[in-house]
Amino acid sequence: QVKVVESGGGSVQAGGSLRLSCAASGDSVCHYSLKWYRQSEGKEREFVADIDPIGHPTYGDSVKGRFTISQDNARNTVFLQMDSLRPDDSAIYYCQTSDPRWGLRCFAFGQGTQVTVSS
């Protein structure tokens, strides 16, 4: 059973920084691809960032140039460095695992971590 745990959320003033972590574990057949999404109240879940196995990142338009994703493959962990935070970055940030070879067996979302940015 796949387990996903996010950490690092909190409250910060606009212009500040936070670093989120996401660790996946639980099923040895899964070669985890980890992605970040976020969802704020009344809005749909939004793609934030992901990174492929060779380290190439992809970002949502709203975070480009401010957020940086990185990974530690040995520990099935990804990090999201969030700089120049704005109030509209406030949301619950979710990490999602997947492995195209195994479908739902390796697919899971974590419980999320709250990020609050005050003006």
Side-chain angles (χ1 to χ4, degrees), residues 32 62 66 72 81 83 104:
Y32 298 107
S62 61
R66 301 186 299 119
D72 181 342
Q81 177 66 39
D83 299 317
L104 292 177

Side-chain angles (χ1 to χ4, degrees), residues 68-83:
T68 304
I69 189 170
S70 59
Q71 64 186 352
D72 181 342
N73 286 334
R75 295 189 294 156
N76 290 320
T77 302
V78 291
F79 307 95
L80 187 67
Q81 177 66 39
M82 307 186 295
D83 299 317

Side-chain angles (χ1 to χ4, degrees), residues 56-67:
H56 182 266
T58 304
Y59 298 100
D61 288 341
S62 61
V63 306
K64 284 179 181 177
R66 301 186 299 119
F67 291 11

Side-chain angles (χ1 to χ4, degrees), residues 69-114:
I69 189 170
S70 59
Q71 64 186 352
D72 181 342
N73 286 334
R75 295 189 294 156
N76 290 320
T77 302
V78 291
F79 307 95
L80 187 67
Q81 177 66 39
M82 307 186 295
D83 299 317
S84 302
L85 283 162
R86 309 184 307 217
D88 62 357
D89 292 316
S90 298
I92 299 175
Y93 284 70
Y94 298 92
C95 186
Q96 178 226 301
T97 69
S98 65
D99 181 339
R101 302 172 301 169
W102 296 99
L104 292 177
R105 177 172 178 174
C106 300
F107 182 88
F109 274 99
Q111 292 298 307
T113 185
Q114 177 71 51

